Amino acid sequence: MNTACIDRLRELAESITALSLSHLQPATRAKLYRNDLSVNAYPTEFGGLVYVGSPPHRIPVETDLALIAGLSAHAGIEWLFFDAEGPVVNGLPVFDTHQSTP
């Protein structure tokens, strides 16, 4: 087994956390689906990946996402995976998920 390769892959690894799409306001969710967020994002059919960096490269303009990105930076999280079936995080705001359409 190539341990040097494995070690290098570990060095390059970035942290990710999954959370409920309900933590984003309907307008932010719509921007995510349209790939129109103020930070790098990769929409999926049921949410999307958002790169926040650690430390953050850019603070999101969207206030709900900025709050989550700030907390994520303190946790060392670099990627957020928003998913319709993702877990709800106690302490974060929750918005009605039925108000947004892709």
Side-chain angles (χ1 to χ4, degrees):
M1 186 174 300
N2 186 340
T3 57
C5 181
I6 292 169
D7 290 342
R8 182 63 179 142
L9 286 171
R10 283 191 182 123
E11 289 173 17
L12 296 171
E14 296 182 346
S15 59
I16 185 171
T17 193
L19 64 161
S20 175
L21 192 58
S22 69
H23 290 303
L24 296 178
Q25 295 178 33
T28 305
R29 269 182 258 140
K31 283 182 163 185
L32 174 59
Y33 287 127
R34 290 190 317 263
N35 196 18
D36 194 30
L37 288 174
S38 62
V39 293
N40 291 337
Y42 304 89
T44 66
E45 186 177 351
F46 301 106
L49 279 167
V50 177
Y51 182 71
V52 292
S54 183
H57 294 273
R58 196 173 1 170
I59 296 173
V61 172
E62 301 81 10
T63 56
D64 51 344
L65 186 54
L67 169 69
I68 297 168
L71 294 169
S72 296
H74 288 289
I77 304 297
E78 296 160 308
W79 289 90
L80 301 171
F81 177 57
F82 290 98
D83 186 76
E85 295 182 359
V88 172
V89 178
N90 290 337
L92 290 179
V94 174
F95 304 95
D96 184 0
T97 58
H98 301 294
Q99 295 177 2
S100 173
T101 56

